[in-house]
Amino acid sequence: MIRMLRTRLGAVRNVVRVASCGYSNGPVMPPCDFTPSPYKGPDYGKARDIRKNHLNPVVSTMTYYKEPLLVHQGYMQWLFDHEGRRYLDMFGGIVTVSVGHCHPKVTAAAKDQLSKLWHTTHIYMHPQVHDFAEKLTSHLPGDLKVVYFTNSGSEANDLAILMARVHTGAFDIISLRNAYHGASPYTMGLTSLSTFSYPLANGFGCHQTANPDVFRGVWGGANCRDSLSQTTRSCSCGDGACEAGDNYANQLKDVLMHSCPKKVAAFFAEPIQGVGGVVQYPKNFLPQAAELIRERGGLVIADEVQTGFGRTGSHFWGFQTHGITPDIVTMAKGIGNGYPLAAIVTTPEISQSLNKALHVNTFGGNPVACAVGSAVLDVIKEEGIQANAARVGEVLIRGMMKLRDQFEVVGDVRGKGLMVGVELVTDKQSRQPLPAAEVSKIWEKCKDMGVLLGKGGLYGNVFRVKPPMCITEEDAQFACEVLEVVLKECQ
């Protein structure tokens, strides 16, 4: 009886804490009809000690906030800490939770498959991998119909590098400065952010070209982006033209002429840069880049790890917003709604290149992972997730644009759908990055008011706003209101 009373009391405490989340004079958090179960894990102090003593120090380096959250439970767009406090997750576990934390249909699919078959590898056939492969490739255009499943985006990009080099017989690969494609030994050469660079020999044959950033780069103006939000820089481009896109394409041409042999293996690009701070390229840049690469026999590889599965709102895949069809597409994160799952999709011809030797991924195409991935695709379709990303994304971007116009510290707002970046600066004229301490102050206060934001960009001065795509317009408005209150406090 006593134990039952304690359990009920704990549930009541959770509800009270949830209801009182945020400052008493702050915006009212949208309602939630979910109550988390009582937390039964190690206390906060012990959890921090375990993290310090038994997890690699780099894990602690990546931990968010001065007092890191001890997350206990998730439900759709909400996270709950060990004390039952509720947070609006506007970062989606680093852009990974696509249709919602513990989405009922996805959870049910995982449970059902767990009760039948956990693992086989490719040495046997099982229905889930075949069903998912057919369903996934039906969402891709043209001859992009052959899939190889892996466990992470880095693995997918690793394999794309290998496949491109074997297929073309060339070695050199070009990526963009400020890009992030993984931190494995192979992909470390593609990633071009010093914060992820070790003083080791890597990236043989990898070259970087100028990042086509219309806010911080050499070229760019007020009409360059395919976005509701443009930069405040002046622009002299006429209709249908983009001088910035042409100039950055010429930079790529210069790299090809001076740094590469006559034939190259591939060009890698995220349709919108993620870790680099939600950087959008000028119009016409990617089509020109693709043409330059194909003229030299190379493949065009789209890294859709963050932009895929409807997140941009207007299209299912980010590359479609640029009007190109790549030769290889890599994907992860949202594909499994947080379950370890990734894939590389290419054409039948290019896929044959792996037959020149054996290649195996023990857990690629895992039955549970494929069941989860298939359920995610069903939810995206049945619940209109892509349309929701477009609709709520517009509310979010317009709300952030108002903050840009209101506060000197908000230098730029950019993005499509529910992939949004808010860059903080000392002032709009100089565009100097806001110092880390000031960025963290704003970031911490948003957390204290119940809104979790990501950070990115080379200087860590960009708020990455990429929530589960099930969020509502009310949620988006709440996030904007919280940021407005915090910016006023921090002026």
Side-chain angles (χ1 to χ4, degrees), residues 23 25-27 399-400 402-407 409-410 422 442 445-446 449 451 453 463 476-491:
Y23 293 155
N25 61 343
M400 294 297 180
K402 289 180 181 178
L403 300 183
R404 179 200 61 195
D405 297 340
Q406 185 178 354
F407 296 98
V409 74
V410 181
V422 180
I442 297 168
K445 284 181 177 289
C446 286
M449 295 184 71
V451 174
L453 300 169
F463 286 151
Q477 289 165 353
F478 171 70
C480 293
E481 289 168 2
V482 166
L483 185 53
E484 180 180 14
V485 171
V486 173
L487 289 171
K488 285 179 179 177
E489 281 193 12
C490 296
Q491 282 190 119

PDB file of all heavy atoms in Angstrom, residues 23 25-27 399-400 402-407 409-410 422 442 445-446 449 451 453 463 476-491:
ATOM      1  N   TYR A  23       9.632  29.843 -16.876  1.00  0.00           N
ATOM      2  CA  TYR A  23       9.541  30.944 -15.926  1.00  0.00           C
ATOM      3  C   TYR A  23       8.075  31.275 -15.638  1.00  0.00           C
ATOM      4  O   TYR A  23       7.200  31.140 -16.504  1.00  0.00           O
ATOM      5  CB  TYR A  23      10.210  32.180 -16.512  1.00  0.00           C
ATOM      6  CG  TYR A  23      11.698  32.067 -16.688  1.00  0.00           C
ATOM      7  CD1 TYR A  23      12.351  32.830 -17.632  1.00  0.00           C
ATOM      8  CD2 TYR A  23      12.453  31.193 -15.913  1.00  0.00           C
ATOM      9  CE1 TYR A  23      13.737  32.753 -17.800  1.00  0.00           C
ATOM     10  CE2 TYR A  23      13.821  31.110 -16.075  1.00  0.00           C
ATOM     11  CZ  TYR A  23      14.453  31.886 -17.023  1.00  0.00           C
ATOM     12  OH  TYR A  23      15.802  31.799 -17.184  1.00  0.00           O
ATOM     13  N   ASN A  25       6.789  34.096 -15.393  1.00  0.00           N
ATOM     14  CA  ASN A  25       6.348  35.222 -16.216  1.00  0.00           C
ATOM     15  C   ASN A  25       6.667  35.008 -17.694  1.00  0.00           C
ATOM     16  O   ASN A  25       6.635  35.942 -18.491  1.00  0.00           O
ATOM     17  CB  ASN A  25       7.010  36.517 -15.737  1.00  0.00           C
ATOM     18  CG  ASN A  25       8.533  36.462 -15.850  1.00  0.00           C
ATOM     19  OD1 ASN A  25       9.107  35.388 -15.973  1.00  0.00           O
ATOM     20  ND2 ASN A  25       9.174  37.620 -15.804  1.00  0.00           N
ATOM     21  N   GLY A  26       6.980  33.793 -18.045  1.00  0.00           N
ATOM     22  CA  GLY A  26       7.332  33.495 -19.425  1.00  0.00           C
ATOM     23  C   GLY A  26       6.156  32.992 -20.227  1.00  0.00           C
ATOM     24  O   GLY A  26       5.041  32.869 -19.720  1.00  0.00           O
ATOM     25  N   PRO A  27       6.376  32.681 -21.513  1.00  0.00           N
ATOM     26  CA  PRO A  27       5.311  32.150 -22.365  1.00  0.00           C
ATOM     27  C   PRO A  27       4.769  30.838 -21.801  1.00  0.00           C
ATOM     28  O   PRO A  27       5.492  30.054 -21.175  1.00  0.00           O
ATOM     29  CB  PRO A  27       6.024  31.923 -23.703  1.00  0.00           C
ATOM     30  CG  PRO A  27       7.209  32.827 -23.665  1.00  0.00           C
ATOM     31  CD  PRO A  27       7.643  32.859 -22.237  1.00  0.00           C
ATOM     32  N   GLY A 399       8.454  33.514 -37.721  1.00  0.00           N
ATOM     33  CA  GLY A 399       8.621  33.964 -36.343  1.00  0.00           C
ATOM     34  C   GLY A 399      10.052  34.344 -36.047  1.00  0.00           C
ATOM     35  O   GLY A 399      10.321  35.368 -35.377  1.00  0.00           O
ATOM     36  N   MET A 400      10.999  33.560 -36.552  1.00  0.00           N
ATOM     37  CA  MET A 400      12.409  33.866 -36.348  1.00  0.00           C
ATOM     38  C   MET A 400      12.834  35.095 -37.141  1.00  0.00           C
ATOM     39  O   MET A 400      13.697  35.870 -36.706  1.00  0.00           O
ATOM     40  CB  MET A 400      13.263  32.651 -36.739  1.00  0.00           C
ATOM     41  CG  MET A 400      13.068  31.433 -35.854  1.00  0.00           C
ATOM     42  SD  MET A 400      13.553  31.743 -34.137  1.00  0.00           S
ATOM     43  CE  MET A 400      13.203  30.139 -33.401  1.00  0.00           C
ATOM     44  N   LYS A 402      11.035  37.705 -37.620  1.00  0.00           N
ATOM     45  CA  LYS A 402      10.617  38.863 -36.811  1.00  0.00           C
ATOM     46  C   LYS A 402      11.672  39.167 -35.744  1.00  0.00           C
ATOM     47  O   LYS A 402      11.950  40.334 -35.449  1.00  0.00           O
ATOM     48  CB  LYS A 402       9.266  38.584 -36.167  1.00  0.00           C
ATOM     49  CG  LYS A 402       8.108  38.573 -37.146  1.00  0.00           C
ATOM     50  CD  LYS A 402       6.785  38.286 -36.432  1.00  0.00           C
ATOM     51  CE  LYS A 402       5.623  38.245 -37.426  1.00  0.00           C
ATOM     52  NZ  LYS A 402       4.342  37.922 -36.756  1.00  0.00           N
ATOM     53  N   LEU A 403      12.258  38.116 -35.173  1.00  0.00           N
ATOM     54  CA  LEU A 403      13.315  38.316 -34.176  1.00  0.00           C
ATOM     55  C   LEU A 403      14.556  38.908 -34.826  1.00  0.00           C
ATOM     56  O   LEU A 403      15.241  39.745 -34.225  1.00  0.00           O
ATOM     57  CB  LEU A 403      13.641  36.990 -33.488  1.00  0.00           C
ATOM     58  CG  LEU A 403      12.489  36.310 -32.734  1.00  0.00           C
ATOM     59  CD1 LEU A 403      12.987  35.046 -32.043  1.00  0.00           C
ATOM     60  CD2 LEU A 403      11.848  37.253 -31.730  1.00  0.00           C
ATOM     61  N   ARG A 404      14.845  38.485 -36.040  1.00  0.00           N
ATOM     62  CA  ARG A 404      15.990  39.067 -36.765  1.00  0.00           C
ATOM     63  C   ARG A 404      15.782  40.564 -36.978  1.00  0.00           C
ATOM     64  O   ARG A 404      16.711  41.365 -36.822  1.00  0.00           O
ATOM     65  CB  ARG A 404      16.149  38.364 -38.113  1.00  0.00           C
ATOM     66  CG  ARG A 404      17.307  38.896 -38.967  1.00  0.00           C
ATOM     67  CD  ARG A 404      17.115  38.543 -40.417  1.00  0.00           C
ATOM     68  NE  ARG A 404      15.873  39.129 -40.948  1.00  0.00           N
ATOM     69  CZ  ARG A 404      15.312  38.747 -42.092  1.00  0.00           C
ATOM     70  NH1 ARG A 404      15.847  37.804 -42.819  1.00  0.00           N
ATOM     71  NH2 ARG A 404      14.197  39.343 -42.493  1.00  0.00           N
ATOM     72  N   ASP A 405      14.570  40.947 -37.333  1.00  0.00           N
ATOM     73  CA  ASP A 405      14.282  42.362 -37.571  1.00  0.00           C
ATOM     74  C   ASP A 405      14.236  43.161 -36.267  1.00  0.00           C
ATOM     75  O   ASP A 405      14.433  44.382 -36.271  1.00  0.00           O
ATOM     76  CB  ASP A 405      12.946  42.504 -38.304  1.00  0.00           C
ATOM     77  CG  ASP A 405      12.969  41.859 -39.681  1.00  0.00           C
ATOM     78  OD1 ASP A 405      14.076  41.643 -40.222  1.00  0.00           O
ATOM     79  OD2 ASP A 405      11.879  41.551 -40.209  1.00  0.00           O
ATOM     80  N   GLN A 406      14.000  42.456 -35.167  1.00  0.00           N
ATOM     81  CA  GLN A 406      13.836  43.127 -33.866  1.00  0.00           C
ATOM     82  C   GLN A 406      15.135  43.262 -33.096  1.00  0.00           C
ATOM     83  O   GLN A 406      15.332  44.245 -32.358  1.00  0.00           O
ATOM     84  CB  GLN A 406      12.811  42.334 -33.039  1.00  0.00           C
ATOM     85  CG  GLN A 406      12.427  42.955 -31.702  1.00  0.00           C
ATOM     86  CD  GLN A 406      11.366  42.117 -30.992  1.00  0.00           C
ATOM     87  OE1 GLN A 406      10.839  41.146 -31.539  1.00  0.00           O
ATOM     88  NE2 GLN A 406      11.058  42.484 -29.766  1.00  0.00           N
ATOM     89  N   PHE A 407      16.048  42.301 -33.268  1.00  0.00           N
ATOM     90  CA  PHE A 407      17.253  42.269 -32.443  1.00  0.00           C
ATOM     91  C   PHE A 407      18.515  42.344 -33.303  1.00  0.00           C
ATOM     92  O   PHE A 407      18.662  41.596 -34.280  1.00  0.00           O
ATOM     93  CB  PHE A 407      17.292  40.984 -31.599  1.00  0.00           C
ATOM     94  CG  PHE A 407      16.174  40.878 -30.606  1.00  0.00           C
ATOM     95  CD1 PHE A 407      15.037  40.132 -30.906  1.00  0.00           C
ATOM     96  CD2 PHE A 407      16.240  41.522 -29.375  1.00  0.00           C
ATOM     97  CE1 PHE A 407      13.992  40.032 -30.000  1.00  0.00           C
ATOM     98  CE2 PHE A 407      15.208  41.420 -28.456  1.00  0.00           C
ATOM     99  CZ  PHE A 407      14.071  40.683 -28.775  1.00  0.00           C
ATOM    100  N   VAL A 409      21.360  41.320 -32.520  1.00  0.00           N
ATOM    101  CA  VAL A 409      22.172  40.134 -32.301  1.00  0.00           C
ATOM    102  C   VAL A 409      21.787  38.986 -33.239  1.00  0.00           C
ATOM    103  O   VAL A 409      22.579  38.071 -33.468  1.00  0.00           O
ATOM    104  CB  VAL A 409      22.061  39.681 -30.822  1.00  0.00           C
ATOM    105  CG1 VAL A 409      20.721  39.026 -30.528  1.00  0.00           C
ATOM    106  CG2 VAL A 409      23.194  38.736 -30.455  1.00  0.00           C
ATOM    107  N   VAL A 410      20.581  39.021 -33.792  1.00  0.00           N
ATOM    108  CA  VAL A 410      20.154  37.975 -34.727  1.00  0.00           C
ATOM    109  C   VAL A 410      20.545  38.421 -36.134  1.00  0.00           C
ATOM    110  O   VAL A 410      19.883  39.240 -36.756  1.00  0.00           O
ATOM    111  CB  VAL A 410      18.632  37.721 -34.633  1.00  0.00           C
ATOM    112  CG1 VAL A 410      18.228  36.607 -35.606  1.00  0.00           C
ATOM    113  CG2 VAL A 410      18.239  37.346 -33.208  1.00  0.00           C
ATOM    114  N   VAL A 422      19.502  29.918 -37.042  1.00  0.00           N
ATOM    115  CA  VAL A 422      19.450  31.298 -36.552  1.00  0.00           C
ATOM    116  C   VAL A 422      20.861  31.686 -36.144  1.00  0.00           C
ATOM    117  O   VAL A 422      21.389  31.173 -35.150  1.00  0.00           O
ATOM    118  CB  VAL A 422      18.480  31.440 -35.356  1.00  0.00           C
ATOM    119  CG1 VAL A 422      18.454  32.886 -34.866  1.00  0.00           C
ATOM    120  CG2 VAL A 422      17.078  30.969 -35.732  1.00  0.00           C
ATOM    121  N   ILE A 442      22.283  32.721 -23.786  1.00  0.00           N
ATOM    122  CA  ILE A 442      20.959  32.696 -24.427  1.00  0.00           C
ATOM    123  C   ILE A 442      20.438  31.268 -24.506  1.00  0.00           C
ATOM    124  O   ILE A 442      19.277  30.981 -24.200  1.00  0.00           O
ATOM    125  CB  ILE A 442      21.043  33.323 -25.831  1.00  0.00           C
ATOM    126  CG1 ILE A 442      21.453  34.793 -25.736  1.00  0.00           C
ATOM    127  CG2 ILE A 442      19.722  33.181 -26.590  1.00  0.00           C
ATOM    128  CD1 ILE A 442      21.834  35.420 -27.061  1.00  0.00           C
ATOM    129  N   LYS A 445      19.314  29.859 -21.114  1.00  0.00           N
ATOM    130  CA  LYS A 445      18.046  30.434 -20.664  1.00  0.00           C
ATOM    131  C   LYS A 445      16.863  29.847 -21.425  1.00  0.00           C
ATOM    132  O   LYS A 445      15.777  29.657 -20.865  1.00  0.00           O
ATOM    133  CB  LYS A 445      18.077  31.961 -20.802  1.00  0.00           C
ATOM    134  CG  LYS A 445      18.904  32.669 -19.721  1.00  0.00           C
ATOM    135  CD  LYS A 445      18.868  34.174 -19.914  1.00  0.00           C
ATOM    136  CE  LYS A 445      19.625  34.882 -18.790  1.00  0.00           C
ATOM    137  NZ  LYS A 445      18.889  34.786 -17.501  1.00  0.00           N
ATOM    138  N   CYS A 446      17.053  29.566 -22.708  1.00  0.00           N
ATOM    139  CA  CYS A 446      15.984  28.913 -23.472  1.00  0.00           C
ATOM    140  C   CYS A 446      15.684  27.532 -22.888  1.00  0.00           C
ATOM    141  O   CYS A 446      14.513  27.147 -22.758  1.00  0.00           O
ATOM    142  CB  CYS A 446      16.387  28.788 -24.946  1.00  0.00           C
ATOM    143  SG  CYS A 446      16.343  30.344 -25.872  1.00  0.00           S
ATOM    144  N   MET A 449      13.614  27.689 -19.856  1.00  0.00           N
ATOM    145  CA  MET A 449      12.213  27.999 -20.136  1.00  0.00           C
ATOM    146  C   MET A 449      11.520  26.879 -20.902  1.00  0.00           C
ATOM    147  O   MET A 449      10.377  27.027 -21.341  1.00  0.00           O
ATOM    148  CB  MET A 449      12.108  29.318 -20.893  1.00  0.00           C
ATOM    149  CG  MET A 449      12.579  30.517 -20.091  1.00  0.00           C
ATOM    150  SD  MET A 449      12.342  32.080 -20.967  1.00  0.00           S
ATOM    151  CE  MET A 449      10.566  32.236 -20.912  1.00  0.00           C
ATOM    152  N   VAL A 451      12.716  25.061 -23.747  1.00  0.00           N
ATOM    153  CA  VAL A 451      12.960  24.881 -25.177  1.00  0.00           C
ATOM    154  C   VAL A 451      14.404  24.427 -25.397  1.00  0.00           C
ATOM    155  O   VAL A 451      15.348  25.118 -24.986  1.00  0.00           O
ATOM    156  CB  VAL A 451      12.689  26.181 -25.971  1.00  0.00           C
ATOM    157  CG1 VAL A 451      13.095  26.016 -27.431  1.00  0.00           C
ATOM    158  CG2 VAL A 451      11.216  26.561 -25.880  1.00  0.00           C
ATOM    159  N   LEU A 453      17.410  23.739 -27.942  1.00  0.00           N
ATOM    160  CA  LEU A 453      17.919  24.115 -29.258  1.00  0.00           C
ATOM    161  C   LEU A 453      19.276  23.469 -29.492  1.00  0.00           C
ATOM    162  O   LEU A 453      20.039  23.243 -28.551  1.00  0.00           O
ATOM    163  CB  LEU A 453      18.065  25.638 -29.367  1.00  0.00           C
ATOM    164  CG  LEU A 453      16.797  26.473 -29.190  1.00  0.00           C
ATOM    165  CD1 LEU A 453      17.157  27.947 -29.046  1.00  0.00           C
ATOM    166  CD2 LEU A 453      15.837  26.272 -30.349  1.00  0.00           C
ATOM    167  N   PHE A 463      22.020  28.714 -33.868  1.00  0.00           N
ATOM    168  CA  PHE A 463      21.036  27.822 -33.264  1.00  0.00           C
ATOM    169  C   PHE A 463      20.455  26.951 -34.374  1.00  0.00           C
ATOM    170  O   PHE A 463      19.909  27.464 -35.363  1.00  0.00           O
ATOM    171  CB  PHE A 463      19.922  28.598 -32.570  1.00  0.00           C
ATOM    172  CG  PHE A 463      20.345  29.230 -31.267  1.00  0.00           C
ATOM    173  CD1 PHE A 463      19.741  30.393 -30.816  1.00  0.00           C
ATOM    174  CD2 PHE A 463      21.331  28.665 -30.480  1.00  0.00           C
ATOM    175  CE1 PHE A 463      20.124  30.983 -29.620  1.00  0.00           C
ATOM    176  CE2 PHE A 463      21.733  29.238 -29.284  1.00  0.00           C
ATOM    177  CZ  PHE A 463      21.124  30.399 -28.854  1.00  0.00           C
ATOM    178  N   ALA A 476       5.732  25.889 -32.462  1.00  0.00           N
ATOM    179  CA  ALA A 476       6.663  26.791 -33.147  1.00  0.00           C
ATOM    180  C   ALA A 476       6.549  28.204 -32.593  1.00  0.00           C
ATOM    181  O   ALA A 476       7.566  28.886 -32.370  1.00  0.00           O
ATOM    182  CB  ALA A 476       6.393  26.779 -34.651  1.00  0.00           C
ATOM    183  N   GLN A 477       5.328  28.650 -32.371  1.00  0.00           N
ATOM    184  CA  GLN A 477       5.114  29.992 -31.818  1.00  0.00           C
ATOM    185  C   GLN A 477       5.685  30.092 -30.408  1.00  0.00           C
ATOM    186  O   GLN A 477       6.298  31.109 -30.039  1.00  0.00           O
ATOM    187  CB  GLN A 477       3.622  30.312 -31.821  1.00  0.00           C
ATOM    188  CG  GLN A 477       3.056  30.537 -33.214  1.00  0.00           C
ATOM    189  CD  GLN A 477       1.535  30.488 -33.260  1.00  0.00           C
ATOM    190  OE1 GLN A 477       0.882  30.155 -32.273  1.00  0.00           O
ATOM    191  NE2 GLN A 477       0.965  30.804 -34.413  1.00  0.00           N
ATOM    192  N   PHE A 478       5.516  29.039 -29.616  1.00  0.00           N
ATOM    193  CA  PHE A 478       6.059  29.025 -28.260  1.00  0.00           C
ATOM    194  C   PHE A 478       7.580  29.147 -28.289  1.00  0.00           C
ATOM    195  O   PHE A 478       8.165  29.918 -27.509  1.00  0.00           O
ATOM    196  CB  PHE A 478       5.642  27.737 -27.549  1.00  0.00           C
ATOM    197  CG  PHE A 478       6.318  27.512 -26.224  1.00  0.00           C
ATOM    198  CD1 PHE A 478       6.015  28.304 -25.117  1.00  0.00           C
ATOM    199  CD2 PHE A 478       7.270  26.504 -26.070  1.00  0.00           C
ATOM    200  CE1 PHE A 478       6.635  28.093 -23.896  1.00  0.00           C
ATOM    201  CE2 PHE A 478       7.897  26.287 -24.862  1.00  0.00           C
ATOM    202  CZ  PHE A 478       7.573  27.088 -23.769  1.00  0.00           C
ATOM    203  N   ALA A 479       8.238  28.399 -29.177  1.00  0.00           N
ATOM    204  CA  ALA A 479       9.698  28.464 -29.275  1.00  0.00           C
ATOM    205  C   ALA A 479      10.153  29.879 -29.629  1.00  0.00           C
ATOM    206  O   ALA A 479      11.130  30.391 -29.058  1.00  0.00           O
ATOM    207  CB  ALA A 479      10.200  27.460 -30.309  1.00  0.00           C
ATOM    208  N   CYS A 480       9.461  30.503 -30.563  1.00  0.00           N
ATOM    209  CA  CYS A 480       9.811  31.880 -30.946  1.00  0.00           C
ATOM    210  C   CYS A 480       9.588  32.848 -29.789  1.00  0.00           C
ATOM    211  O   CYS A 480      10.396  33.766 -29.560  1.00  0.00           O
ATOM    212  CB  CYS A 480       8.994  32.316 -32.159  1.00  0.00           C
ATOM    213  SG  CYS A 480       9.386  31.433 -33.691  1.00  0.00           S
ATOM    214  N   GLU A 481       8.504  32.661 -29.046  1.00  0.00           N
ATOM    215  CA  GLU A 481       8.206  33.538 -27.909  1.00  0.00           C
ATOM    216  C   GLU A 481       9.260  33.400 -26.816  1.00  0.00           C
ATOM    217  O   GLU A 481       9.688  34.397 -26.215  1.00  0.00           O
ATOM    218  CB  GLU A 481       6.822  33.211 -27.357  1.00  0.00           C
ATOM    219  CG  GLU A 481       5.679  33.631 -28.272  1.00  0.00           C
ATOM    220  CD  GLU A 481       4.341  33.042 -27.845  1.00  0.00           C
ATOM    221  OE1 GLU A 481       4.303  32.335 -26.807  1.00  0.00           O
ATOM    222  OE2 GLU A 481       3.335  33.274 -28.547  1.00  0.00           O
ATOM    223  N   VAL A 482       9.688  32.178 -26.559  1.00  0.00           N
ATOM    224  CA  VAL A 482      10.725  31.957 -25.546  1.00  0.00           C
ATOM    225  C   VAL A 482      12.016  32.646 -25.961  1.00  0.00           C
ATOM    226  O   VAL A 482      12.651  33.342 -25.164  1.00  0.00           O
ATOM    227  CB  VAL A 482      10.953  30.444 -25.324  1.00  0.00           C
ATOM    228  CG1 VAL A 482      12.244  30.209 -24.558  1.00  0.00           C
ATOM    229  CG2 VAL A 482       9.775  29.841 -24.561  1.00  0.00           C
ATOM    230  N   LEU A 483      12.410  32.460 -27.216  1.00  0.00           N
ATOM    231  CA  LEU A 483      13.647  33.084 -27.681  1.00  0.00           C
ATOM    232  C   LEU A 483      13.539  34.610 -27.613  1.00  0.00           C
ATOM    233  O   LEU A 483      14.516  35.291 -27.254  1.00  0.00           O
ATOM    234  CB  LEU A 483      13.970  32.633 -29.095  1.00  0.00           C
ATOM    235  CG  LEU A 483      15.308  33.098 -29.696  1.00  0.00           C
ATOM    236  CD1 LEU A 483      16.473  32.753 -28.766  1.00  0.00           C
ATOM    237  CD2 LEU A 483      15.516  32.507 -31.071  1.00  0.00           C
ATOM    238  N   GLU A 484      12.374  35.150 -27.905  1.00  0.00           N
ATOM    239  CA  GLU A 484      12.188  36.594 -27.824  1.00  0.00           C
ATOM    240  C   GLU A 484      12.365  37.094 -26.380  1.00  0.00           C
ATOM    241  O   GLU A 484      13.061  38.090 -26.140  1.00  0.00           O
ATOM    242  CB  GLU A 484      10.789  36.986 -28.322  1.00  0.00           C
ATOM    243  CG  GLU A 484      10.528  38.483 -28.260  1.00  0.00           C
ATOM    244  CD  GLU A 484       9.146  38.865 -28.751  1.00  0.00           C
ATOM    245  OE1 GLU A 484       8.284  37.960 -28.895  1.00  0.00           O
ATOM    246  OE2 GLU A 484       8.916  40.077 -28.981  1.00  0.00           O
ATOM    247  N   VAL A 485      11.748  36.399 -25.423  1.00  0.00           N
ATOM    248  CA  VAL A 485      11.895  36.775 -24.016  1.00  0.00           C
ATOM    249  C   VAL A 485      13.355  36.734 -23.589  1.00  0.00           C
ATOM    250  O   VAL A 485      13.859  37.650 -22.934  1.00  0.00           O
ATOM    251  CB  VAL A 485      11.040  35.849 -23.127  1.00  0.00           C
ATOM    252  CG1 VAL A 485      11.363  36.075 -21.632  1.00  0.00           C
ATOM    253  CG2 VAL A 485       9.559  36.089 -23.361  1.00  0.00           C
ATOM    254  N   VAL A 486      14.050  35.688 -23.983  1.00  0.00           N
ATOM    255  CA  VAL A 486      15.452  35.531 -23.591  1.00  0.00           C
ATOM    256  C   VAL A 486      16.323  36.608 -24.235  1.00  0.00           C
ATOM    257  O   VAL A 486      17.208  37.187 -23.579  1.00  0.00           O
ATOM    258  CB  VAL A 486      15.953  34.120 -23.960  1.00  0.00           C
ATOM    259  CG1 VAL A 486      17.451  34.010 -23.723  1.00  0.00           C
ATOM    260  CG2 VAL A 486      15.217  33.064 -23.143  1.00  0.00           C
ATOM    261  N   LEU A 487      16.100  36.890 -25.500  1.00  0.00           N
ATOM    262  CA  LEU A 487      16.896  37.930 -26.170  1.00  0.00           C
ATOM    263  C   LEU A 487      16.690  39.285 -25.527  1.00  0.00           C
ATOM    264  O   LEU A 487      17.637  40.074 -25.408  1.00  0.00           O
ATOM    265  CB  LEU A 487      16.530  37.976 -27.663  1.00  0.00           C
ATOM    266  CG  LEU A 487      17.006  36.785 -28.518  1.00  0.00           C
ATOM    267  CD1 LEU A 487      16.397  36.851 -29.911  1.00  0.00           C
ATOM    268  CD2 LEU A 487      18.528  36.744 -28.608  1.00  0.00           C
ATOM    269  N   LYS A 488      15.471  39.578 -25.094  1.00  0.00           N
ATOM    270  CA  LYS A 488      15.223  40.842 -24.387  1.00  0.00           C
ATOM    271  C   LYS A 488      15.980  40.879 -23.075  1.00  0.00           C
ATOM    272  O   LYS A 488      16.542  41.922 -22.693  1.00  0.00           O
ATOM    273  CB  LYS A 488      13.722  40.993 -24.139  1.00  0.00           C
ATOM    274  CG  LYS A 488      12.915  41.376 -25.368  1.00  0.00           C
ATOM    275  CD  LYS A 488      11.430  41.494 -25.051  1.00  0.00           C
ATOM    276  CE  LYS A 488      10.629  41.895 -26.292  1.00  0.00           C
ATOM    277  NZ  LYS A 488       9.168  41.943 -26.009  1.00  0.00           N
ATOM    278  N   GLU A 489      16.007  39.765 -22.368  1.00  0.00           N
ATOM    279  CA  GLU A 489      16.748  39.706 -21.093  1.00  0.00           C
ATOM    280  C   GLU A 489      18.241  39.900 -21.295  1.00  0.00           C
ATOM    281  O   GLU A 489      18.932  40.464 -20.446  1.00  0.00           O
ATOM    282  CB  GLU A 489      16.509  38.354 -20.418  1.00  0.00           C
ATOM    283  CG  GLU A 489      15.192  38.227 -19.691  1.00  0.00           C
ATOM    284  CD  GLU A 489      15.174  37.002 -18.795  1.00  0.00           C
ATOM    285  OE1 GLU A 489      16.257  36.394 -18.579  1.00  0.00           O
ATOM    286  OE2 GLU A 489      14.093  36.628 -18.316  1.00  0.00           O
ATOM    287  N   CYS A 490      18.746  39.394 -22.426  1.00  0.00           N
ATOM    288  CA  CYS A 490      20.185  39.381 -22.649  1.00  0.00           C
ATOM    289  C   CYS A 490      20.699  40.588 -23.429  1.00  0.00           C
ATOM    290  O   CYS A 490      21.881  40.651 -23.767  1.00  0.00           O
ATOM    291  CB  CYS A 490      20.588  38.102 -23.360  1.00  0.00           C
ATOM    292  SG  CYS A 490      20.300  36.598 -22.400  1.00  0.00           S
ATOM    293  N   GLN A 491      19.831  41.548 -23.733  1.00  0.00           N
ATOM    294  CA  GLN A 491      20.270  42.727 -24.482  1.00  0.00           C
ATOM    295  C   GLN A 491      21.260  43.566 -23.671  1.00  0.00           C
ATOM    296  O   GLN A 491      21.104  43.721 -22.469  1.00  0.00           O
ATOM    297  CB  GLN A 491      19.059  43.593 -24.864  1.00  0.00           C
ATOM    298  CG  GLN A 491      18.285  43.036 -26.043  1.00  0.00           C
ATOM    299  CD  GLN A 491      17.242  44.011 -26.551  1.00  0.00           C
ATOM    300  OE1 GLN A 491      17.302  44.439 -27.694  1.00  0.00           O
ATOM    301  NE2 GLN A 491      16.312  44.393 -25.715  1.00  0.00           N
TER     302      GLN A 491
END
